[in-house]
């Protein structure tokens, strides 16, 4: 039964969740295919909730910066959609993939058009198009995150960039494969550098909960200006719900019931349209690349508060 009666009870809810999470034995394993992430302690945990007016509640390591990784795909999608509108959807689809996030399998069958913008192939297309629009995809993303979070200290971790680049052969293969179909405009090495830098932004749960607020405000940024139309904000939230947690999106929707996006750094963002945004971080991942404790915490949040899109 939901026990929440007003926004003022967010903090007790978070306190209850972290107490429960600390008693949970299985935490998963950090992403070991990116050496810079492999050393993270899987028992670290932070969670933040941001209301529409910018009020933030948090517990645990909610102020600790971590590697955002694929969470940034939400923001590059929104930034490009704001510039290109429906033209973007001619280059990337909106369907769940059913395959791992770095799979090449479907591209051959679908003529170089990625299944959705949150698998790696789709994210590469979005970053490519944003770079063509701005001349600096990663810089545009970083400026946006700084503005929405109010944290000018947000930065790109160059050690993670180097680590991703040294182990980025599969992403390179995806980029070259799509370029062969004419679905990539920039030179693949340029695109890969922008993409690795994008994924290497470090931010905290508080930063990301605040930065995601425009999706709960139906496209309105923190300063009151509009980034997306209400329809476009709905589109982004819908793709997050159906595709945001790789090939475990159905399980996430079943357990959590919110639009969400995970990253292999252990972070997960989630949106309650018209009410609040959340970010949780714990580096231990399950077999799909999603934070075990993070998904469990979001499950408990929606159960305790009754806040869900269903």
């Amino acid at each position: 039964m939901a026990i929440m009666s007003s926004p003022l009870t967010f903090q007790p809810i978070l306190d209850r969740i972290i107490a429960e999470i600390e008693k949970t034995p299985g935490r998963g394993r950090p992403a070991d295919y990116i050496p810079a992430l492999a050393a993270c302690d899987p028992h670290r945990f932070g969670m933040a909730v941001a209301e529409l007016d910018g009020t933030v509640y948090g517990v645990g390591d909610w102020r600790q910066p971590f590697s955002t990784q694929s969470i940034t795909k939400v923001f590059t999608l929104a930034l490009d959609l704001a510039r290109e509108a429906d033209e973007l959807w001619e280059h990337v689809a909106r369907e769940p993939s059913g395959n791992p996030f770095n799979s090449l399998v479907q591209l051959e069958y679908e003529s170089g058009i990625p299944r959705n913008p949150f698998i790696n192939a789709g994210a590469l297309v979005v970053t490519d198009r944003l770079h063509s629009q701005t001349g600096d995809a990663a810089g545009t993303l970083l400026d946006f995150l700084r503005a929405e979070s109010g944290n000018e200290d947000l930065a790109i971790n160059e050690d993670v960039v180097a680590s991703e680049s040294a182990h980025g052969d599969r992403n390179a293969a995806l980029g070259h494969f799509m370029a062969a179909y004419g679905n990539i405009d920039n030179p693949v090495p340029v695109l890969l550098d922008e993409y690795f830098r994008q994924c290497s932004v470090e931010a905290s749960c508080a930063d990301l909960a605040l930065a995601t607020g425009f999706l709960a405000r139906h496209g309105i940024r923190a300063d009151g200006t509009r980034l997306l139309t209400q329809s476009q904000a709905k589109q982004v939230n819908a793709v997050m719900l159906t595709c945001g947690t790789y090939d475990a999106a159905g399980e996430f929707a079943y357990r959590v019931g919110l639009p969400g996006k995970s990253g292999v750094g252990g972070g997960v963002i989630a949106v309650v349209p018209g009410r609040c945004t959340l970010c949780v971080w714990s580096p231990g991942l399950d077999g799909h690349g999603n934070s075990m404790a993070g998904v469990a915490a979001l499950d408990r949040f929606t159960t305790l508060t009754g806040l869900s899109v269903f």
Side-chain angles (χ1 to χ4, degrees):
M1 176 180 294
I3 63 173
M4 182 173 173
S5 59
S6 77
L8 295 179
T9 60
F10 274 137
Q11 191 62 51
I13 291 290
L14 295 180
D15 292 338
R16 178 169 171 178
I17 290 171
I18 193 172
E20 294 179 7
I21 291 296
E22 287 175 347
K23 298 175 184 177
T24 304
R27 293 293 187 93
R29 298 175 58 185
D32 55 8
Y33 64 93
I34 302 174
L37 303 181
C40 292
D41 181 357
H43 290 89
R44 300 290 296 272
F45 178 86
M47 187 172 185
V49 180
E51 296 182 314
L52 302 188
D53 64 0
T55 303
V56 189
Y57 306 86
V59 289
D61 299 311
W62 67 300
R63 294 286 191 186
Q64 173 64 42
F66 62 89
S67 188
T68 54
Q69 294 295 311
S70 287
I71 290 175
T72 59
K73 295 173 182 177
V74 171
F75 303 106
T76 53
L77 173 62
L79 288 166
D80 189 73
L81 192 59
R83 289 165 168 80
E84 288 201 284
D86 287 347
E87 184 177 347
L88 169 63
W89 301 121
E90 298 175 11
H91 301 271
V92 60
R94 303 181 293 272
E95 295 294 334
S97 70
N99 285 314
F101 58 85
N102 58 357
S103 173
L104 290 92
V105 173
Q106 286 172 327
L107 282 176
E108 177 111 38
Y109 294 111
E110 298 173 352
S111 302
I113 303 296
R115 184 62 70 91
N116 66 70
F118 294 149
I119 56 174
N120 286 15
L124 284 165
V125 168
V126 174
T127 299
D128 176 66
R129 300 194 67 78
L130 182 62
H131 192 65
S132 294
Q133 291 284 324
T134 65
D136 184 5
T140 300
L141 166 71
L142 187 58
D143 288 344
F144 179 81
L145 293 176
R146 286 172 172 170
E148 296 306 291
S149 67
N151 184 358
E152 288 297 321
D153 294 329
L154 293 186
I156 293 169
N157 186 320
E158 298 296 340
D159 289 337
V160 177
V161 175
S163 185
E164 298 239 19
S165 181
H167 297 81
D169 291 338
R170 185 174 288 266
N171 284 318
L174 291 167
H176 285 293
F177 193 88
M178 291 186 293
Y181 280 96
N183 202 22
I184 295 294
D185 293 333
N186 294 282
V188 172
V190 172
L191 167 59
L192 291 173
D193 183 62
E194 290 295 316
Y195 181 70
F196 295 146
R197 293 180 65 77
Q198 164 191 322
C199 292
S200 301
V201 172
E202 289 192 336
S204 69
C205 292
D207 296 325
L208 290 171
L210 287 167
T212 309
F214 72 99
L215 290 173
R217 293 188 292 267
H218 309 294
I220 302 295
R221 296 185 59 170
D223 64 2
T225 62
R226 180 170 289 280
L227 175 70
L228 300 176
T229 67
Q230 187 163 344
S231 178
Q232 289 171 332
K234 178 193 71 175
Q235 292 169 4
V236 174
N237 280 327
V239 177
M240 287 173 68
L241 180 66
T242 58
C243 309
T245 47
Y246 311 122
D247 51 339
E251 179 70 11
F252 186 84
Y254 175 83
R255 290 183 62 186
V256 177
L258 294 174
K261 182 73 195 84
S262 61
V264 296
V268 190
I269 57 173
V271 180
V272 184
R275 187 63 181 271
C276 64
T277 46
L278 304 96
C279 181
V280 60
W281 171 62
S282 186
L285 309 180
D286 62 18
H288 300 285
N290 301 312
S291 170
M292 289 187 66
V295 174
L298 291 171
D299 182 358
R300 291 300 293 150
F301 179 85
T302 55
T303 299
L304 293 170
T305 64
L307 294 175
S308 166
V309 298
F310 299 112

